[in-house]
Tab-separated table of all heavy atoms in Angstrom:
chain	number	residue	atom	x	y	z
D	48	TYR	N	-12.625	29.934	-21.535
D	48	TYR	CA	-12.974	28.518	-21.407
D	48	TYR	C	-14.343	28.297	-22.042
D	48	TYR	O	-15.212	29.159	-22.018
D	48	TYR	CB	-13.048	28.093	-19.939
D	48	TYR	CG	-11.704	27.880	-19.289
D	48	TYR	CD1	-11.017	28.941	-18.701
D	48	TYR	CD2	-11.125	26.621	-19.256
D	48	TYR	CE1	-9.785	28.739	-18.101
D	48	TYR	CE2	-9.893	26.419	-18.650
D	48	TYR	CZ	-9.236	27.485	-18.082
D	48	TYR	OH	-8.018	27.288	-17.492
D	50	GLN	N	-17.647	25.693	-21.903
D	50	GLN	CA	-18.312	24.675	-21.103
D	50	GLN	C	-19.508	24.145	-21.880
D	50	GLN	O	-20.569	24.754	-21.915
D	50	GLN	CB	-18.750	25.219	-19.746
D	50	GLN	CG	-19.273	24.146	-18.808
D	50	GLN	CD	-19.636	24.682	-17.427
D	50	GLN	OE1	-20.250	25.736	-17.312
D	50	GLN	NE2	-19.251	23.958	-16.387
D	58	PHE	N	-10.279	24.375	-21.995
D	58	PHE	CA	-9.385	25.525	-22.127
D	58	PHE	C	-9.314	25.932	-23.594
D	58	PHE	O	-9.120	25.095	-24.470
D	58	PHE	CB	-8.002	25.134	-21.600
D	58	PHE	CG	-6.913	26.093	-21.932
D	58	PHE	CD1	-6.747	27.250	-21.198
D	58	PHE	CD2	-6.031	25.827	-22.971
D	58	PHE	CE1	-5.725	28.128	-21.501
D	58	PHE	CE2	-5.007	26.707	-23.277
D	58	PHE	CZ	-4.849	27.867	-22.531
D	61	ARG	N	-4.960	31.252	-23.285
D	61	ARG	CA	-4.360	31.984	-22.184
D	61	ARG	C	-3.561	33.125	-22.785
D	61	ARG	O	-2.840	32.932	-23.763
D	61	ARG	CB	-3.442	31.072	-21.393
D	61	ARG	CG	-2.607	31.765	-20.325
D	61	ARG	CD	-1.528	30.810	-19.885
D	61	ARG	NE	-0.881	31.199	-18.643
D	61	ARG	CZ	0.418	31.047	-18.418
D	61	ARG	NH1	1.183	30.523	-19.357
D	61	ARG	NH2	0.937	31.395	-17.270
D	110	THR	N	-0.519	32.606	-8.448
D	110	THR	CA	-1.374	31.844	-7.542
D	110	THR	C	-2.270	30.860	-8.281
D	110	THR	O	-2.776	29.924	-7.676
D	110	THR	CB	-2.290	32.773	-6.728
D	110	THR	OG1	-3.250	33.374	-7.601
D	110	THR	CG2	-1.485	33.848	-6.019
D	113	TYR	N	-8.452	31.667	-10.152
D	113	TYR	CA	-9.208	32.289	-11.223
D	113	TYR	C	-10.351	33.137	-10.686
D	113	TYR	O	-11.025	32.756	-9.751
D	113	TYR	CB	-9.826	31.229	-12.128
D	113	TYR	CG	-8.861	30.516	-13.031
D	113	TYR	CD1	-8.034	29.516	-12.537
D	113	TYR	CD2	-8.796	30.822	-14.378
D	113	TYR	CE1	-7.156	28.858	-13.373
D	113	TYR	CE2	-7.927	30.161	-15.223
D	113	TYR	CZ	-7.114	29.178	-14.710
D	113	TYR	OH	-6.246	28.527	-15.542
D	116	GLY	N	-15.812	35.362	-15.127
D	116	GLY	CA	-16.990	36.130	-15.469
D	116	GLY	C	-18.229	35.264	-15.313
D	116	GLY	O	-18.138	34.071	-15.004
N	61	PHE	N	-6.972	23.297	-6.535
N	61	PHE	CA	-8.044	24.220	-6.220
N	61	PHE	C	-9.386	23.523	-6.366
N	61	PHE	O	-9.561	22.646	-7.221
N	61	PHE	CB	-8.017	25.433	-7.165
N	61	PHE	CG	-6.690	26.125	-7.225
N	61	PHE	CD1	-5.732	25.737	-8.146
N	61	PHE	CD2	-6.398	27.163	-6.368
N	61	PHE	CE1	-4.503	26.368	-8.206
N	61	PHE	CE2	-5.169	27.804	-6.418
N	61	PHE	CZ	-4.228	27.408	-7.338
N	63	TYR	N	-13.488	24.410	-6.966
N	63	TYR	CA	-14.447	25.431	-7.357
N	63	TYR	C	-15.859	24.867	-7.265
N	63	TYR	O	-16.076	23.664	-7.416
N	63	TYR	CB	-14.207	25.871	-8.806
N	63	TYR	CG	-12.968	26.707	-9.008
N	63	TYR	CD1	-11.727	26.093	-9.150
N	63	TYR	CD2	-13.032	28.092	-9.076
N	63	TYR	CE1	-10.578	26.855	-9.339
N	63	TYR	CE2	-11.891	28.858	-9.269
N	63	TYR	CZ	-10.674	28.231	-9.401
N	63	TYR	OH	-9.543	28.972	-9.598
N	65	GLN	N	-19.778	25.542	-8.929
N	65	GLN	CA	-20.593	26.216	-9.939
N	65	GLN	C	-22.045	25.884	-9.659
N	65	GLN	O	-22.529	24.793	-9.976
N	65	GLN	CB	-20.199	25.793	-11.354
N	65	GLN	CG	-20.934	26.566	-12.428
N	65	GLN	CD	-20.562	26.136	-13.819
N	65	GLN	OE1	-20.074	25.032	-14.039
N	65	GLN	NE2	-20.779	27.015	-14.794
N	70	SER	N	-21.689	31.252	-12.400
N	70	SER	CA	-20.281	31.131	-12.741
N	70	SER	C	-19.566	30.262	-11.706
N	70	SER	O	-20.186	29.724	-10.799
N	70	SER	CB	-19.655	32.522	-12.785
N	70	SER	OG	-18.329	32.449	-13.252
N	86	GLU	N	-11.808	30.488	0.823
N	86	GLU	CA	-12.245	31.820	0.399
N	86	GLU	C	-13.404	32.281	1.276
N	86	GLU	O	-14.040	31.487	1.979
N	86	GLU	CB	-12.666	31.787	-1.068
N	86	GLU	CG	-11.554	31.382	-2.012
N	86	GLU	CD	-10.392	32.358	-2.021
N	86	GLU	OE1	-10.635	33.574	-2.184
N	86	GLU	OE2	-9.232	31.890	-1.867
N	126	PRO	N	1.328	25.574	-15.663
N	126	PRO	CA	1.970	26.775	-16.205
N	126	PRO	C	1.984	26.833	-17.724
N	126	PRO	O	2.039	27.897	-18.305
N	126	PRO	CB	3.390	26.690	-15.642
N	126	PRO	CG	3.246	25.876	-14.408
N	126	PRO	CD	2.172	24.888	-14.698
N	128	GLU	N	-0.475	26.023	-19.809
N	128	GLU	CA	-1.748	26.352	-20.467
N	128	GLU	C	-2.750	26.997	-19.541
N	128	GLU	O	-3.938	26.959	-19.815
N	128	GLU	CB	-2.371	25.071	-21.037
N	128	GLU	CG	-1.602	24.458	-22.182
N	128	GLU	CD	-2.358	23.290	-22.801
N	128	GLU	OE1	-3.463	22.974	-22.342
N	128	GLU	OE2	-1.816	22.708	-23.750
N	130	GLY	N	-4.579	27.006	-15.829
N	130	GLY	CA	-4.973	25.897	-14.987
N	130	GLY	C	-5.635	24.804	-15.805
N	130	GLY	O	-6.173	25.045	-16.867
Side-chain angles (χ1 to χ4, degrees):
Chain D
Y48 283 87
Q50 188 177 43
F58 167 80
R61 172 194 195 218
T110 68
Y113 287 77
Chain N
F61 307 89
Y63 288 83
Q65 185 181 22
S70 186
E86 299 297 309
E128 293 187 0

